[in-house]
């Protein structure tokens, strides 16, 4: 689900999802969520190009036996090339940078969940079992995250600073060399993965906060759960575009 929110005139987020069949016949679910950098030229086009390119790469690689982490790494690089290509032959708008966006993606491959990201869009793990520990699976590429990692500020102090959301990595022609983050997990119980832009996580930063918002029936009704999360963001102020994908784990074979 994606919504423009209450304070923006256009939606600069984008998402792409798919289900593919692995060589052993198991299903793999792919979800990509991107957030356009508002200070860039045509951020909505950057998000759309990144989401579709990463999804298409994963859709092509996974059925041919490429591992989740390798496919994810290469998909993010491919998405970066697609966004950078948008700058070719055109000048940035006055006062703006080249087209740019952040990206986060999750893919289930058999018993393994792999996430990949560049920027500050996030993925969360929320177990189906009530009371089981939820977790944030990604670490932001942002000023706030750098301050916390360096031990200079607590997370609360860093997030309260006006520089908190300044990103330190992104996709775009003016980005430094892209170094995708990837991480893999083998959850020991059923649950869902929430993949989202900061339009949602600004209102639920920690894993436990996110878990409290996720419907207990999210694994059986992921679309309804995504709608509920978007509604929470809107009801909480909707200050930004908000995009959410909810992925059941383990994945069910398509009917």
């Amino acid at each position: 689900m994606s919504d423009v929110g209450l304070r923006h005139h256009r939606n600069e987020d984008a998402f792409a999802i798919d289900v593919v069949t692995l060589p052993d016949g198991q299903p793999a679910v792919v979800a990509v969520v991107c957030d356009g950098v508002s200070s860039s030229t045509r951020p909505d086009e950057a998000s759309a190009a990144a989401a579709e390119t990463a999804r298409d790469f994963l859709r092509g690689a996974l059925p041919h036996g490429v591992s989740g982490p390798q496919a994810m790494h290469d998909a993010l690089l491919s998405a970066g090339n697609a966004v950078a290509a948008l700058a070719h032959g055109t000048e940035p708008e006055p006062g703006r940078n080249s087209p740019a966006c952040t990206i986060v993606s999750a893919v289930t491959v058999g018993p393994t969940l792999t996430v990949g990201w560049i920027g500050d869009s996030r993925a969360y793990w929320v177990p189906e079992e009530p009371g089981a520990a939820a977790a944030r699976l990604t670490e932001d590429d942002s000023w706030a995250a750098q301050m916390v990692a360096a031990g200079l500020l607590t997370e609360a102090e860093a997030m309260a600073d006006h520089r908190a959301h300044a990103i330190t990595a992104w996709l775009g022609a003016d980005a430094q060399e892209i170094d995708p983050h990837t991480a893999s997990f083998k959850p020991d119980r059923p649950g869902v993965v929430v993949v989202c832009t900061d339009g949602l996580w600004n209102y639920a930063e920690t894993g436990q906060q996110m878990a409290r918002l996720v419907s207990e029936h999210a694994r059986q009704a992921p679309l309804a759960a995504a709608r509920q999360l978007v509604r929470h963001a809107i009801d909480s102020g909707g200050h930004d575009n908000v995009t959410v994908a909810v992925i059941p784990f383990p994945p069910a074979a398509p009917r």
Side-chain angles (χ1 to χ4, degrees):
M1 290 293 296
S2 188
D3 194 278
V4 68
L6 301 179
R7 303 188 186 183
H8 289 264
H9 69 282
R10 69 178 175 185
N11 194 341
E12 297 172 355
D13 289 354
F15 71 92
I17 58 176
D18 209 342
V19 180
V20 298
T21 302
L22 301 177
D24 62 2
Q26 293 188 82
V29 179
V30 171
V32 187
V33 169
C34 298
D35 186 350
V37 177
S38 295
S39 60
S40 73
T41 300
R42 308 189 334 260
D44 52 331
E45 294 181 33
S47 288
E52 292 168 8
T53 299
R55 185 270 315 275
D56 290 349
F57 188 97
L58 290 165
R59 182 167 58 187
L62 294 171
H64 288 90
V66 180
S67 69
Q70 185 64 55
M72 181 69 74
H73 178 274
D74 294 347
L76 297 189
L77 290 179
S78 183
N81 291 335
V83 177
L86 295 176
H88 295 167
T90 60
E91 291 295 323
E93 297 170 8
R96 290 179 176 268
N97 299 320
S98 298
C101 68
T102 67
I103 186 169
V104 62
S105 180
V107 59
T108 60
V109 179
T112 304
L113 161 66
T114 297
V115 295
W117 72 98
I118 298 170
D120 65 348
S121 293
R122 294 182 177 179
Y124 293 81
W125 166 249
V126 179
E128 186 175 47
E129 180 183 341
R136 192 174 106 199
L137 304 179
T138 57
E139 295 292 337
D140 299 343
D141 289 312
S142 68
W143 180 90
Q146 284 191 339
M147 293 300 103
V148 174
L152 299 175
L153 296 172
T154 66
E155 186 165 9
E157 291 169 337
M159 293 306 297
D161 192 282
H162 71 279
R163 296 165 290 183
H165 287 275
I167 57 174
T168 57
W170 59 90
L171 302 182
D174 57 358
Q176 298 178 354
E177 183 177 355
I178 296 175
D179 183 18
H181 308 287
T182 63
S184 293
F185 309 88
K186 290 193 174 182
D188 62 355
R189 65 197 69 198
V192 296
V193 186
V194 177
V195 187
C196 65
T197 59
D198 61 353
L200 172 64
W201 69 250
N202 274 323
Y203 303 111
E205 291 189 21
T206 70
Q208 291 307 313
Q209 288 172 330
M210 187 66 71
R212 285 196 287 269
L213 301 178
V214 173
S215 162
E216 62 179 324
H217 303 296
R219 189 163 165 266
Q220 291 74 35
L223 181 57
R227 287 196 183 105
Q228 182 175 312
L229 291 170
V230 170
R231 174 48 54 190
H232 173 79
I234 300 300
D235 291 345
S236 299
H239 85 283
D240 201 354
N241 308 146
V242 54
T243 300
V244 184
V246 176
I247 307 173
F249 185 91
R255 296 178 180 176

